[in-house]
Amino acid sequence: MNRRSVVNRFELAREELIQSLRAKGIRDENVLDAIAKVPRQMFVSPLFASRAYEDTALPIDCNQTISQPFTVAMMTQLLKVRKGDKVLEVGTGSGYQAALLATMGARVFTIERYPELMKKAEERFKKLGLKIATRVGDGSVGWSRFAPFDKIMVTAGAPEVPRSLMQQLKDGGIMVIPVGDRKVQTMFLVERRGKEFFTREVDGFRFVPLVGKEGWQD
Ligand code: SAM
């Protein structure tokens, strides 16, 4: 198969994925536009490239996963991302979610505990010309140097909402974070109003664990 037909195959698969996300309730056109622009096949190993537009999580290095596109789209929609928003992502993984947020015009700060994953994610950001601030470390305690954030997205399952992340959320800010046991979590949408935090539960999802000081023990 020549390069042109491979590109067309990816474009077709991406368009089908977007239609299926619409059918599943993703309405935010900015989210769908970003999914249409960011080549997900670049964020998976070449072994899985042909499956990049299936609505499924796929394995990445270090025994981690790139999240299912529906989950990514739903979490991004819940965050109501606006151009210029300062967004903290905990759990860079492949870098796909961070790339979507940056494509939507957010100023993205992303943290990953595995240096190997971050190195690959940084290479992808560079190839795509995306300016994203990265850090290797424990994201369960946030990134106080750049706090407060308009939005915080945690892409690993936590035992509870880390206090540090709540403190690093701006007044009026929104955080999405899966909370539960190690296997099944509920998506929490946390909104900060002054000193008060309002939490709404969204749905059952499954994530790899958030491992860290304010997460699960390794
Ligand atoms: N957002 C990612 C993407 O677009 O590919 C998918 C994230 S994957 C489901 C969860 C990631 O969270 C893993 O890469 C894992 O290593 C990372 N992680 C878990 N605990 C962490 C912590 N305390 N700080 C930073 N990253 C963490």
Side-chain angles (χ1 to χ4, degrees), residues 66-90:
I66 175 172
S67 306
Q68 180 187 351
F70 174 72
T71 303
V72 170
M74 183 51 92
M75 288 179 79
T76 313
Q77 176 166 280
L78 287 168
L79 222 50
K80 297 193 183 120
V81 179
R82 305 267 170 272
K83 242 192 183 111
D85 271 355
K86 201 164 137 190
V87 182
L88 173 67
E89 184 205 19
V90 177

Side-chain angles (χ1 to χ4, degrees), residues 100-111:
L100 285 183
L101 292 165
T103 301
M104 292 173 76
R107 289 177 290 150
V108 184
F109 298 76
T110 185
I111 310 181

Side-chain angles (χ1 to χ4, degrees), residues 148 165-175 190-198:
L165 295 184
M166 289 169 76
Q167 284 163 353
Q168 290 176 29
L169 197 57
K170 247 185 212 171
D171 186 8
I174 304 175
M175 165 162 45
V190 182
E191 292 191 49
R192 178 173 195 164
R193 278 181 233 138
K195 286 189 177 146
E196 290 198 289
F197 293 88
F198 298 87

Side-chain angles (χ1 to χ4, degrees), residues 43 60-68 72 89-99 110-114 117 124 135-141 153-157 206-216:
F43 292 81
I60 55 173
D61 292 347
C62 306
N63 215 12
Q64 304 300 313
T65 54
I66 175 172
S67 306
Q68 180 187 351
V72 170
E89 184 205 19
V90 177
T92 314
S94 67
Y96 180 67
Q97 175 72 72
T110 185
I111 310 181
E112 170 56 53
R113 61 191 286 259
Y114 288 107
L117 290 181
R124 292 166 179 142
R135 180 181 179 193
V136 172
D138 178 5
S140 73
V141 294
M153 179 186 285
V154 182
T155 63
R206 190 168 290 194
F207 279 83
V208 300
L210 176 77
V211 179
K213 197 169 163 224
E214 296 187 39
W216 297 100

